[in-house]
Amino acid sequence: LTRDPRRSRPIAVAATFTAEPIAEALAFWQDALGYAGDVSFAPFNQVQQQLLDPRSELATNRGGLNLLLVRLEDWAGQRRDDAEAIEYSLELAGDLLVDGLRRLKESTPLASHLVVFCPRSPQAETVPDFARSLDLVEARLVRRIESIGSRRLQAIPSAEIVARAGGV
């Protein structure tokens, strides 16, 4: 299989958690689909910073795929008992995410951007109000990202990930 330089699709990954274990799977699929390009990872839990920094992995990935892996509970902190405070905190983090995506989309018009809302941990499920807050904020963020209106920017809700994984 010869590589076509026109099919170069580097992948830049920013996540709210340690995402490096997916490097091998991403490289496998790039190879299987005939795409060239490196897979690079932003530093741990630097999603918002990557969106704002014009020298970041995301901003310098001009024609590839920017993959943002977001587990909202990572932005909620340790507190799980005050739904109103959690939602407020997550909304602020979400504002930074959406505003950053708008800027990134404008500064990298040839890149594609995929925001994956990752399923919450089993521990988050044990606090029903916390889990409900995560669901509400995620649904609002998905709608806001979709309202940006670009075929090069997509959001995948965590429920879709869970459904495709067979409810695991």
Side-chain angles (χ1 to χ4, degrees), residues 67-106:
L67 176 60
L68 289 82
L69 304 173
V70 177
R71 187 174 51 202
L72 286 177
E73 73 182 272
D74 295 335
W75 285 342
Q78 296 301 313
R79 197 149 185 210
R80 306 276 196 245
D81 60 347
D82 184 347
E84 188 174 312
I86 291 165
E87 287 179 41
Y88 179 76
S89 173
L90 290 176
E91 288 292 343
L92 290 177
D95 288 345
L96 290 172
L97 175 70
V98 173
D99 292 343
L101 285 167
R102 278 193 183 99
R103 279 195 289 275
L104 184 64
K105 181 185 77 77
E106 291 170 11

Side-chain angles (χ1 to χ4, degrees), residues 2-149:
T2 47
R3 298 259 181 220
D4 181 347
R6 293 171 296 181
R7 289 184 56 107
S8 178
R9 295 284 286 181
I11 300 174
V13 180
T16 61
F17 51 88
T18 303
E20 283 80 357
I22 68 168
E24 192 173 317
L26 290 173
F28 169 85
W29 283 109
Q30 276 188 301
D31 191 50
L33 297 171
Y35 287 105
D38 294 329
V39 176
S40 61
F41 290 87
F44 172 78
N45 201 13
Q46 296 288 305
V47 173
Q48 293 154 325
Q49 294 85 339
Q50 287 285 306
L51 290 168
L52 298 173
D53 183 355
R55 296 164 300 176
S56 72
E57 298 286 336
L58 302 179
T60 58
N61 187 16
R62 300 277 179 198
L65 170 66
N66 288 320
L67 176 60
L68 289 82
L69 304 173
V70 177
R71 187 174 51 202
L72 286 177
E73 73 182 272
D74 295 335
W75 285 342
Q78 296 301 313
R79 197 149 185 210
R80 306 276 196 245
D81 60 347
D82 184 347
E84 188 174 312
I86 291 165
E87 287 179 41
Y88 179 76
S89 173
L90 290 176
E91 288 292 343
L92 290 177
D95 288 345
L96 290 172
L97 175 70
V98 173
D99 292 343
L101 285 167
R102 278 193 183 99
R103 279 195 289 275
L104 184 64
K105 181 185 77 77
E106 291 170 11
S107 68
T108 58
L110 299 178
S112 297
H113 315 285
L114 180 61
V115 181
V116 179
F117 288 96
C118 299
R120 58 182 166 257
S121 69
Q123 294 82 7
E125 295 291 341
T126 64
V127 184
D129 287 341
F130 180 60
R132 199 168 17 264
S133 293
L134 294 172
D135 286 341
L136 290 171
V137 172
E138 180 183 316
R140 286 193 291 258
L141 286 172
V142 168
R143 284 192 303 273
R144 289 180 65 195
I145 292 168
E146 289 172 347
S147 76
I148 294 173

